[in-house]
Amino acid sequence: GQFSNGVYNSLDNFMFSDRAGAAEPMLFGELTIVYDVIEVTYKRLPFIICGTILLVFALIAAAFKAAFAPVKMFFTVVVPLAAVYGVAVLVYQDGALSWLPGGPDKNPFMSPPGGGFYWATPVFTCTIIIGLALDYDIFLFARVVELRHEGLGNRDAVCAALCLTGPTITAAGLVMSIAFFGLLLSSVPANNQIGFV
């Protein structure tokens, strides 16, 4: 509008004047603050995720006295987690489920026009999902270790551990799925995406 044109003209006049080298023009407002928050968050997020994973894997290796336990955990936690975020981007940013009825207003698997994958979804969910996935994984792994100490072979210990912990892990997973299913049906895109992840 008229205000924006005035700002652009003032900025152009300033940039091409003799005073331009002495000062740097900056913008301030709600959107610039949000942009700065997103930028700082995404610069630090890889360090937070890597630090969390390395610390947890080191604790697991020490607790189980097994150097290769973190390698197993990498393939059962980190790889599926990366796949979940990839599918979420495919659904919400690339519109993989846009063929479902309802269009952008009624289809919970579509971001609003001009939207995409909400920037804070990975920030809010990543460490929580790592914790939940490791919890179930450690629960099963600890039972396998117990059964190995009781004298069972590898295959028998894994099969028995699955039989003993499977119902508990499945029930806990179902409870979490039901809890997040409500978010999945939300009309608020950010809540919907968090429920999906």
Side-chain angles (χ1 to χ4, degrees):
Q2 190 177 13
F3 177 74
S4 298
N5 291 335
V7 170
Y8 285 124
N9 289 335
S10 297
L11 190 58
D12 282 342
N13 291 338
F14 176 78
M15 293 302 290
F16 294 113
S17 71
D18 295 335
R19 297 174 291 161
E24 179 183 353
M26 302 181 92
L27 297 174
F28 182 76
E30 290 178 24
L31 290 178
T32 57
I33 292 170
V34 171
Y35 179 81
D36 289 344
V37 168
I38 293 170
E39 192 173 303
V40 168
T41 301
Y42 271 107
K43 281 182 183 175
R44 295 180 181 171
L45 187 62
F47 297 107
I48 293 168
I49 292 170
C50 290
T52 301
I53 290 170
L54 290 174
L55 178 65
V56 167
F57 284 1
L59 290 172
I60 289 169
F64 287 108
K65 297 180 180 99
F68 290 107
V71 174
K72 178 232 179 251
M73 300 284 180
F74 177 82
F75 287 108
T76 60
V77 174
V78 176
V79 172
L81 182 64
V84 164
Y85 285 113
V87 170
V89 167
L90 188 67
V91 168
Y92 290 101
Q93 199 156 310
D94 298 337
L97 296 178
S98 61
W99 54 269
L100 290 173
D105 296 332
K106 300 291 182 197
N107 183 347
F109 298 110
M110 284 184 67
S111 293
F117 196 58
Y118 180 53
W119 72 271
T121 299
V123 176
F124 295 150
T125 60
C126 191
T127 52
I128 293 169
I129 293 173
I130 288 172
L132 288 171
L134 282 172
D135 184 42
Y136 300 147
D137 218 26
I138 290 170
F139 186 54
L140 174 64
F141 192 66
R143 183 61 87 165
V144 171
V145 170
E146 286 176 13
L147 294 170
R148 288 284 292 138
H149 287 302
E150 290 177 8
L152 272 69
N154 282 337
R155 185 175 178 81
D156 292 338
V158 170
C159 289
L162 281 172
C163 289
L164 293 169
T165 61
T168 305
I169 292 172
T170 303
L174 284 172
V175 167
M176 292 305 296
S177 298
I178 292 167
F180 285 108
F181 185 73
L183 287 174
L184 184 62
L185 298 177
S186 172
S187 61
V188 178
N191 290 345
N192 183 275
Q193 292 173 12
I194 289 170
F196 183 86
V197 169

